[in-house]
Amino acid sequence: MAYTGRCACGAVTAEIAADAPIAVRQCWCRQCQQLAGGSHSTNAMFLTENVTITGTLAAHAYTAASGNTLTQSFCPACGTPVMAQVSARPQFRTMRVGFITPPHDLTPQMVIWTDDAPDWAVFPEGIDRHAKQPPPPPAS
Ligand SMILES: [Zn+2]
Ligand SMILES: [Zn+2]
């Protein structure tokens, strides 16, 4: 068991049976700015089959710029963002890194939706930047 997760109040927990994420991305899209309180979200993608959630999630779904339905899940008791999933890629769960219990090795490898970032945003040096949505990762 390589990663565990817990919301702020403990009503939602997770176990992630993976040695490493498929991708870790910092996202500055408008929806992430809303859920993250003004800055970017940081997200680690795992195979759905490796993610076990305990507890009840609340969810909000919307149509993303890609046309896909994006579902954001959070703890209904404390509001901690837990994960997102995209209708076109049900094999992946995108876990909010703030939900993952430290210490862990999840570090952003890519910044996406920089076009939506505010002028004061600072992006990590030395990693790829995408103005909008990058291509999906290869299935593994
Ligand atoms: Zn909670
Ligand atoms: Zn986003």
Side-chain angles (χ1 to χ4, degrees), residues 14 21 23 41-42 51 54 61 77 94 102 104 109 124-125:
S41 65
T42 306
V51 177
T54 302
T94 301
H104 58 66
Q109 303 152 340
E125 291 294 328

Side-chain angles (χ1 to χ4, degrees), residues 44-117:
M45 190 178 294
F46 293 96
L47 287 176
T48 300
E49 66 195 36
N50 290 340
V51 177
T52 304
I53 303 281
T54 302
T56 302
L57 292 170
H60 169 68
Y62 66 94
T63 302
S66 61
N68 293 317
T69 300
L70 201 148
T71 304
Q72 296 178 339
S73 299
F74 53 93
C75 173
C78 71
T80 299
V82 173
M83 66 177 183
Q85 60 196 87
V86 179
S87 56
R89 290 183 287 283
Q91 71 271 35
F92 297 130
R93 290 288 181 270
T94 301
M95 307 304 295
R96 308 300 186 191
V97 169
F99 172 76
I100 306 294
T101 304
H104 58 66
D105 60 357
L106 301 171
T107 303
Q109 303 152 340
M110 184 185 294
V111 186
I112 65 174
W113 286 102
T114 57
D115 270 6
D116 282 4

